[in-house]
Amino acid sequence: MNIWLGTIQLGVKSLWLHPLRSLLTVLGIFIGVASVIWLLAISKGIGDEAQRQIESLGADTIMIRTIKPPSEKMSAQGLTPYGLTREEFDLLSTSIPTVKSALPIRELRRQFQYRDRKLDGRLVGCTPEYFEVNRMEMADGHFISDAENFSMATNCVLSAKMAERLFWHEDPIGKRIYLPENQDFYFVVGVLKPKGATAAVGGSMAAQDFSNDVYIPIRTLHQRIGDMVMVSRSGSREGEIIELNQITLRVAEVSDVKRTADLVESALSSHEKMEDISVVVPLELLEQARTTRAMFMLFMGMIAAISLLVGGIGIMNIMLATVTERTREIGIRRALGAKRRDIIRQFLVETSVLSLAGGITGILFGLLCGPAVNGARALANIWFSEQMADLPEVVRTVQPSIVPESIPGAFLISLIVGLVFGIYPATRAAKMNPIEALRHE
Amino acid sequence: MSNPKFETDGFACRVVDMKKEYVLKSETVRALRGVSFDVPEGDYVAIMGPSGSGKSTLLNMLGCLDKPTSGSLWLGSDDVATMNDDQLADIRSQRIGFVFQSYNLIQQLTVVENIQVPLFYQGKSLSKAQQLRSIELARMVGLAERLDHRPTQLSGGQQQRVAIARSLVNDPFFILADEPTGNLDSRTTEEILQLFEKLNNEGRTIILVTHEDEVSKRAKRVVRLKDGRLQWDRQNSQEVREAAAKYAIDNMPVEV
Ligand SMILES: Nc1ncnc2c1ncn2[C@@H]1O[C@H](COP(=O)(O)OP(=O)(O)OP(=O)(O)O)[C@@H](O)[C@H]1O
Ligand SMILES: [Mg+2]
């Protein structure tokens, strides 16, 4: 036991003879270990973010969206109705046993007015399920109720920003807002809490910004506005006939999601020709995102591992030089009673001290990843705010998340690197003939 | 300071018909061609001979740094010639003290740590007694004030004295010294020789290799090698030794 302690002491002393050289060698491992932790943490952060966005759509949901078909599929004269229909909604919500609830959505661009204040926003016709599916919270009043929908009440619920911009300091509850395009009034019965936008997911779902929304019962929308909508766009008037923009199905058991999605697709197979709907299954996206993330992390880990390898080669290089340089010392020690394994132990301890010093400091620095990234970003925001605004969303928002396994992993790897790259120099030292080693100048 | 650890029969070592051949690509060098002699405990032997006669080779065998091609070397009741590498290392750390021409201290260790190196390789932790003993040895060679100095901070003579203290730390059967004064001036040589004499008077067995007659005359016994064989082996009379000591002191350069 004591011989180990003594050897470690000795190793530190020997390394201390060339402080700069030892420091640079340690730096090699330090960078390797720190980059393993950093790269894994950052790539996990990116992956987590994507996963969180998908999860916010709900792993138990299936979304069917109406999309504008390619222009050659639309008939040249007149308006062609396209997209999801109320009939299909009834079919999906009643005939598939695994479906727990179904939510129809109709969205329109509209202008809203209160007193002399006019605002453009999104009019959303929906049912009470909308509230739950999108994880909304009320600031005041209540959301659209089943009764209101059934009775086609002219009630509406405002997003936080809408309420603030239309009503300023007034309490919106009980007041009426005006829709100039339809010459229609709606009573405000509720105001929502602010809600962040959901990001676009995998290209199949556009980003959703809830901040300019006004919600009304879908039956009210159908009755008072109808399916045909005329939009005046740069002088010419364009129209479209759509019954529903989206149907969101919730499945009782997550394990049934895929089966249900297959059923839904076959039920809606008549749309294949028009290409006017798309089915989004967050669970599938989630699984894709998981494999993508795993690949990404593997790739990053490999890059980091290469830098560790370089650090290891640095250690080996230094130890080979050290062995040559200390041939005489090896001879002396052998003459004074050191066995081959004592010499091996001595040099292995030295490489291990180097690699562990690099490993431990690397881990400590690796743990600083989160604060360091945030700090650097804060500084960059102050100094280069314009350039920062142009950077992709991930760069601006990613939160590194340290992979717990990477800490013991990095420690182990640095130890192994030390041993693997130390073995050859150490055995070379031990193999030397003591008499010749003593003669070495 | 006899050694109670091992049975010695009154001999520090016994060399029996020792031969050593170095096989090179083109030829075989016969460095020792059959050497036999005994070294009783307490002896002080100077090995002389022309360059290439095999002095260092013999000393390396005695020091268990190398194995003879044939013949035996008895240290106590063990024939070292039959031992393996690890056993030889144990013998070196437990029974032999080495002093080299070029001191061979370890640069990163202090004086006292250098003295303790052979103990380190005995595999046990240092006992309090061993700690005290290494400090005592440093005092004996006159370096009590310099326990924490590094070899580079010492003169050649001082380094050689550290090496002598180191050779004594494991209480060896004998001290082997290959031209221990080869790098030193006459004054420092005299210091070292007096130290050896003192140790020998205390009962230490000393075997040294030298080129210098003045050094060999101070030993009790001179063994001369020639072409790998023992040419002659004779005792120095007490008068010769005293005269040599007196001569050395009388002729020492005056300090300025
Ligand atoms: N490792 C070796 N390989 C081959 N030949 C060797 C080796 N070591 C010594 N010799 C040869 O053995 C012979 C004896 O060498 P040794 O070193 O013992 O001489 P020496 O008496 O100590 O000489 P010197 O007084 O010059 O130190 C020489 O001929 C030398 O060339
Ligand atoms: Mg020699």
Side-chain angles (χ1 to χ4, degrees), chain A residues 21 316-331 347 424-426 428-429 432 436-437 440-441:
Chain A
R21 185 203 274 186
M316 180 139 143
N317 188 15
I318 279 302
M319 289 318 288
L320 284 175
T322 304
V323 165
T324 311
E325 209 179 70
R326 285 161 63 185
T327 302
R328 175 66 91 80
E329 181 194 328
I330 295 165
F347 281 91
Y424 175 67
R428 216 167 91 159
M432 265 186 283
E436 270 159 33
H440 192 266
E441 280 311 315

mmCIF file of all heavy atoms in Angstrom, chain A residues 21 316-331 347 424-426 428-429 432 436-437 440-441:
data_model
loop_
_atom_site.group_PDB
_atom_site.id
_atom_site.type_symbol
_atom_site.label_atom_id
_atom_site.label_comp_id
_atom_site.label_asym_id
_atom_site.label_seq_id
_atom_site.Cartn_x
_atom_site.Cartn_y
_atom_site.Cartn_z
ATOM 1 N N ARG A 21 5.937 21.557 -19.150
ATOM 2 C CA ARG A 21 5.724 20.379 -19.976
ATOM 3 C C ARG A 21 4.548 19.548 -19.443
ATOM 4 O O ARG A 21 3.672 19.140 -20.200
ATOM 5 C CB ARG A 21 7.006 19.553 -19.943
ATOM 6 C CG ARG A 21 6.982 18.373 -20.828
ATOM 7 C CD ARG A 21 7.977 17.367 -20.324
ATOM 8 N NE ARG A 21 9.314 17.606 -20.838
ATOM 9 C CZ ARG A 21 10.323 16.764 -20.621
ATOM 10 N NH1 ARG A 21 10.129 15.679 -19.901
ATOM 11 N NH2 ARG A 21 11.506 17.022 -21.111
ATOM 12 N N MET A 316 1.668 10.028 -24.355
ATOM 13 C CA MET A 316 2.607 8.985 -24.744
ATOM 14 C C MET A 316 3.912 9.613 -25.229
ATOM 15 O O MET A 316 5.002 9.187 -24.866
ATOM 16 C CB MET A 316 1.978 8.151 -25.850
ATOM 17 C CG MET A 316 2.875 7.052 -26.329
ATOM 18 S SD MET A 316 1.884 5.592 -26.576
ATOM 19 C CE MET A 316 2.643 4.913 -27.992
ATOM 20 N N ASN A 317 3.766 10.647 -26.033
ATOM 21 C CA ASN A 317 4.915 11.352 -26.573
ATOM 22 C C ASN A 317 5.813 11.858 -25.448
ATOM 23 O O ASN A 317 7.026 11.622 -25.420
ATOM 24 C CB ASN A 317 4.383 12.516 -27.418
ATOM 25 C CG ASN A 317 5.466 13.213 -28.184
ATOM 26 O OD1 ASN A 317 6.563 12.674 -28.309
ATOM 27 N ND2 ASN A 317 5.187 14.382 -28.675
ATOM 28 N N ILE A 318 5.181 12.534 -24.478
ATOM 29 C CA ILE A 318 5.942 13.090 -23.370
ATOM 30 C C ILE A 318 6.594 11.977 -22.554
ATOM 31 O O ILE A 318 7.754 12.075 -22.148
ATOM 32 C CB ILE A 318 5.016 13.946 -22.482
ATOM 33 C CG1 ILE A 318 4.844 15.316 -23.102
ATOM 34 C CG2 ILE A 318 5.547 14.063 -21.074
ATOM 35 C CD1 ILE A 318 6.140 16.060 -23.309
ATOM 36 N N MET A 319 5.843 10.908 -22.321
ATOM 37 C CA MET A 319 6.399 9.843 -21.492
ATOM 38 C C MET A 319 7.566 9.155 -22.191
ATOM 39 O O MET A 319 8.538 8.779 -21.541
ATOM 40 C CB MET A 319 5.316 8.817 -21.125
ATOM 41 C CG MET A 319 4.300 9.331 -20.131
ATOM 42 S SD MET A 319 4.958 10.292 -18.769
ATOM 43 C CE MET A 319 5.747 9.011 -17.810
ATOM 44 N N LEU A 320 7.481 9.010 -23.512
ATOM 45 C CA LEU A 320 8.608 8.402 -24.230
ATOM 46 C C LEU A 320 9.838 9.285 -24.091
ATOM 47 O O LEU A 320 10.944 8.799 -23.832
ATOM 48 C CB LEU A 320 8.257 8.197 -25.705
ATOM 49 C CG LEU A 320 7.334 7.017 -25.985
ATOM 50 C CD1 LEU A 320 6.962 6.970 -27.456
ATOM 51 C CD2 LEU A 320 8.013 5.713 -25.583
ATOM 52 N N ALA A 321 9.635 10.584 -24.236
ATOM 53 C CA ALA A 321 10.766 11.504 -24.077
ATOM 54 C C ALA A 321 11.305 11.408 -22.655
ATOM 55 O O ALA A 321 12.515 11.361 -22.430
ATOM 56 C CB ALA A 321 10.320 12.929 -24.384
ATOM 57 N N THR A 322 10.393 11.338 -21.694
ATOM 58 C CA THR A 322 10.798 11.281 -20.293
ATOM 59 C C THR A 322 11.603 10.020 -20.005
ATOM 60 O O THR A 322 12.615 10.069 -19.306
ATOM 61 C CB THR A 322 9.546 11.300 -19.390
ATOM 62 O OG1 THR A 322 8.793 12.456 -19.713
ATOM 63 C CG2 THR A 322 9.919 11.313 -17.935
ATOM 64 N N VAL A 323 11.148 8.914 -20.562
ATOM 65 C CA VAL A 323 11.852 7.652 -20.310
ATOM 66 C C VAL A 323 13.285 7.740 -20.827
ATOM 67 O O VAL A 323 14.236 7.359 -20.151
ATOM 68 C CB VAL A 323 11.093 6.477 -20.953
ATOM 69 C CG1 VAL A 323 11.978 5.251 -21.023
ATOM 70 C CG2 VAL A 323 9.835 6.179 -20.166
ATOM 71 N N THR A 324 13.442 8.279 -22.033
ATOM 72 C CA THR A 324 14.783 8.407 -22.591
ATOM 73 C C THR A 324 15.632 9.324 -21.720
ATOM 74 O O THR A 324 16.774 9.028 -21.385
ATOM 75 C CB THR A 324 14.696 8.992 -24.014
ATOM 76 O OG1 THR A 324 13.722 8.260 -24.722
ATOM 77 C CG2 THR A 324 16.020 8.905 -24.721
ATOM 78 N N GLU A 325 14.985 10.440 -21.342
ATOM 79 C CA GLU A 325 15.689 11.430 -20.560
ATOM 80 C C GLU A 325 16.102 10.876 -19.199
ATOM 81 O O GLU A 325 17.116 11.278 -18.641
ATOM 82 C CB GLU A 325 14.710 12.566 -20.339
ATOM 83 C CG GLU A 325 15.282 13.905 -20.185
ATOM 84 C CD GLU A 325 14.116 14.853 -20.000
ATOM 85 O OE1 GLU A 325 13.453 14.811 -18.951
ATOM 86 O OE2 GLU A 325 13.877 15.610 -20.924
ATOM 87 N N ARG A 326 15.315 9.973 -18.662
ATOM 88 C CA ARG A 326 15.566 9.497 -17.312
ATOM 89 C C ARG A 326 16.131 8.088 -17.283
ATOM 90 O O ARG A 326 16.042 7.394 -16.273
ATOM 91 C CB ARG A 326 14.269 9.591 -16.497
ATOM 92 C CG ARG A 326 13.984 11.038 -16.120
ATOM 93 C CD ARG A 326 12.570 11.270 -15.743
ATOM 94 N NE ARG A 326 12.184 10.517 -14.557
ATOM 95 C CZ ARG A 326 10.948 10.485 -14.091
ATOM 96 N NH1 ARG A 326 10.003 11.141 -14.734
ATOM 97 N NH2 ARG A 326 10.658 9.788 -13.028
ATOM 98 N N THR A 327 16.732 7.697 -18.399
ATOM 99 C CA THR A 327 17.344 6.368 -18.458
ATOM 100 C C THR A 327 18.296 6.167 -17.286
ATOM 101 O O THR A 327 18.291 5.132 -16.615
ATOM 102 C CB THR A 327 18.114 6.220 -19.776
ATOM 103 O OG1 THR A 327 17.202 6.430 -20.836
ATOM 104 C CG2 THR A 327 18.713 4.844 -19.892
ATOM 105 N N ARG A 328 19.119 7.164 -17.024
ATOM 106 C CA ARG A 328 20.089 7.070 -15.949
ATOM 107 C C ARG A 328 19.384 6.818 -14.611
ATOM 108 O O ARG A 328 19.761 5.935 -13.844
ATOM 109 C CB ARG A 328 20.897 8.372 -15.903
ATOM 110 C CG ARG A 328 21.868 8.449 -14.758
ATOM 111 C CD ARG A 328 22.973 7.425 -14.881
ATOM 112 N NE ARG A 328 24.121 7.951 -15.602
ATOM 113 C CZ ARG A 328 25.055 8.734 -15.068
ATOM 114 N NH1 ARG A 328 24.999 9.065 -13.833
ATOM 115 N NH2 ARG A 328 26.061 9.165 -15.787
ATOM 116 N N GLU A 329 18.317 7.587 -14.371
ATOM 117 C CA GLU A 329 17.574 7.413 -13.122
ATOM 118 C C GLU A 329 17.033 5.996 -13.018
ATOM 119 O O GLU A 329 17.064 5.380 -11.948
ATOM 120 C CB GLU A 329 16.408 8.414 -13.060
ATOM 121 C CG GLU A 329 15.616 8.300 -11.772
ATOM 122 C CD GLU A 329 14.277 9.037 -11.841
ATOM 123 O OE1 GLU A 329 14.192 10.057 -12.524
ATOM 124 O OE2 GLU A 329 13.327 8.554 -11.194
ATOM 125 N N ILE A 330 16.550 5.475 -14.142
ATOM 126 C CA ILE A 330 16.018 4.115 -14.130
ATOM 127 C C ILE A 330 17.123 3.137 -13.747
ATOM 128 O O ILE A 330 16.936 2.241 -12.922
ATOM 129 C CB ILE A 330 15.409 3.767 -15.508
ATOM 130 C CG1 ILE A 330 14.207 4.659 -15.767
ATOM 131 C CG2 ILE A 330 15.016 2.299 -15.559
ATOM 132 C CD1 ILE A 330 13.756 4.673 -17.214
ATOM 133 N N GLY A 331 18.323 3.344 -14.336
ATOM 134 C CA GLY A 331 19.468 2.495 -13.993
ATOM 135 C C GLY A 331 19.794 2.566 -12.512
ATOM 136 O O GLY A 331 20.030 1.541 -11.863
ATOM 137 N N PHE A 347 6.229 4.704 -13.809
ATOM 138 C CA PHE A 347 5.877 5.476 -15.002
ATOM 139 C C PHE A 347 4.367 5.474 -15.245
ATOM 140 O O PHE A 347 3.805 6.464 -15.708
ATOM 141 C CB PHE A 347 6.652 4.973 -16.220
ATOM 142 C CG PHE A 347 8.053 5.500 -16.212
ATOM 143 C CD1 PHE A 347 9.076 4.782 -15.616
ATOM 144 C CD2 PHE A 347 8.343 6.746 -16.738
ATOM 145 C CE1 PHE A 347 10.354 5.282 -15.568
ATOM 146 C CE2 PHE A 347 9.618 7.257 -16.701
ATOM 147 C CZ PHE A 347 10.640 6.521 -16.106
ATOM 148 N N TYR A 424 3.197 1.510 -22.898
ATOM 149 C CA TYR A 424 4.339 1.278 -23.772
ATOM 150 C C TYR A 424 5.611 1.971 -23.254
ATOM 151 O O TYR A 424 6.631 1.312 -23.068
ATOM 152 C CB TYR A 424 4.009 1.693 -25.205
ATOM 153 C CG TYR A 424 5.186 1.593 -26.123
ATOM 154 C CD1 TYR A 424 5.729 0.347 -26.437
ATOM 155 C CD2 TYR A 424 5.806 2.717 -26.643
ATOM 156 C CE1 TYR A 424 6.832 0.242 -27.251
ATOM 157 C CE2 TYR A 424 6.910 2.630 -27.454
ATOM 158 C CZ TYR A 424 7.421 1.387 -27.761
ATOM 159 O OH TYR A 424 8.528 1.293 -28.557
ATOM 160 N N PRO A 425 5.534 3.275 -22.951
ATOM 161 C CA PRO A 425 6.735 3.907 -22.398
ATOM 162 C C PRO A 425 7.208 3.224 -21.108
ATOM 163 O O PRO A 425 8.414 3.045 -20.906
ATOM 164 C CB PRO A 425 6.291 5.347 -22.111
ATOM 165 C CG PRO A 425 5.127 5.572 -22.983
ATOM 166 C CD PRO A 425 4.457 4.252 -23.152
ATOM 167 N N ALA A 426 6.265 2.816 -20.277
ATOM 168 C CA ALA A 426 6.653 2.217 -19.002
ATOM 169 C C ALA A 426 7.356 0.875 -19.202
ATOM 170 O O ALA A 426 8.392 0.611 -18.585
ATOM 171 C CB ALA A 426 5.424 2.043 -18.113
ATOM 172 N N ARG A 428 8.911 -0.009 -21.809
ATOM 173 C CA ARG A 428 10.196 0.263 -22.439
ATOM 174 C C ARG A 428 11.227 0.639 -21.378
ATOM 175 O O ARG A 428 12.384 0.241 -21.449
ATOM 176 C CB ARG A 428 10.049 1.384 -23.451
ATOM 177 C CG ARG A 428 10.933 1.128 -24.646
ATOM 178 C CD ARG A 428 10.579 2.020 -25.769
ATOM 179 N NE ARG A 428 11.373 3.228 -25.692
ATOM 180 C CZ ARG A 428 11.571 3.992 -26.752
ATOM 181 N NH1 ARG A 428 11.058 3.678 -27.906
ATOM 182 N NH2 ARG A 428 12.281 5.085 -26.636
ATOM 183 N N ALA A 429 10.776 1.411 -20.403
ATOM 184 C CA ALA A 429 11.687 1.799 -19.329
ATOM 185 C C ALA A 429 12.111 0.569 -18.524
ATOM 186 O O ALA A 429 13.274 0.417 -18.161
ATOM 187 C CB ALA A 429 11.017 2.816 -18.411
ATOM 188 N N MET A 432 14.817 -1.955 -19.885
ATOM 189 C CA MET A 432 16.213 -1.554 -20.041
ATOM 190 C C MET A 432 17.133 -2.351 -19.134
ATOM 191 O O MET A 432 16.812 -2.646 -17.988
ATOM 192 C CB MET A 432 16.343 -0.071 -19.725
ATOM 193 C CG MET A 432 16.282 0.772 -20.952
ATOM 194 S SD MET A 432 16.606 2.467 -20.592
ATOM 195 C CE MET A 432 15.073 2.960 -19.898
ATOM 196 N N GLU A 436 23.435 -0.920 -18.683
ATOM 197 C CA GLU A 436 23.466 0.026 -19.799
ATOM 198 C C GLU A 436 22.769 1.322 -19.431
ATOM 199 O O GLU A 436 23.206 2.403 -19.814
ATOM 200 C CB GLU A 436 22.818 -0.595 -21.035
ATOM 201 C CG GLU A 436 23.838 -1.333 -21.875
ATOM 202 C CD GLU A 436 23.203 -2.361 -22.781
ATOM 203 O OE1 GLU A 436 22.073 -2.117 -23.230
ATOM 204 O OE2 GLU A 436 23.835 -3.411 -22.999
ATOM 205 N N ALA A 437 21.681 1.203 -18.678
ATOM 206 C CA ALA A 437 20.964 2.405 -18.262
ATOM 207 C C ALA A 437 21.863 3.287 -17.402
ATOM 208 O O ALA A 437 21.863 4.508 -17.522
ATOM 209 C CB ALA A 437 19.708 2.031 -17.494
ATOM 210 N N HIS A 440 24.228 5.362 -19.404
ATOM 211 C CA HIS A 440 23.604 6.368 -20.275
ATOM 212 C C HIS A 440 23.931 7.776 -19.807
ATOM 213 O O HIS A 440 23.867 8.086 -18.630
ATOM 214 C CB HIS A 440 22.084 6.149 -20.260
ATOM 215 C CG HIS A 440 21.364 6.903 -21.315
ATOM 216 N ND1 HIS A 440 20.817 8.131 -21.114
ATOM 217 C CD2 HIS A 440 21.098 6.590 -22.608
ATOM 218 C CE1 HIS A 440 20.244 8.549 -22.222
ATOM 219 N NE2 HIS A 440 20.407 7.622 -23.143
ATOM 220 N N GLU A 441 24.313 8.611 -20.755
ATOM 221 C CA GLU A 441 24.608 10.004 -20.390
ATOM 222 C C GLU A 441 23.371 10.851 -20.557
ATOM 223 O O GLU A 441 22.810 10.936 -21.599
ATOM 224 C CB GLU A 441 25.755 10.534 -21.241
ATOM 225 C CG GLU A 441 27.114 10.090 -20.739
ATOM 226 C CD GLU A 441 27.309 10.301 -19.239
ATOM 227 O OE1 GLU A 441 26.964 11.375 -18.731
ATOM 228 O OE2 GLU A 441 27.782 9.367 -18.570
#
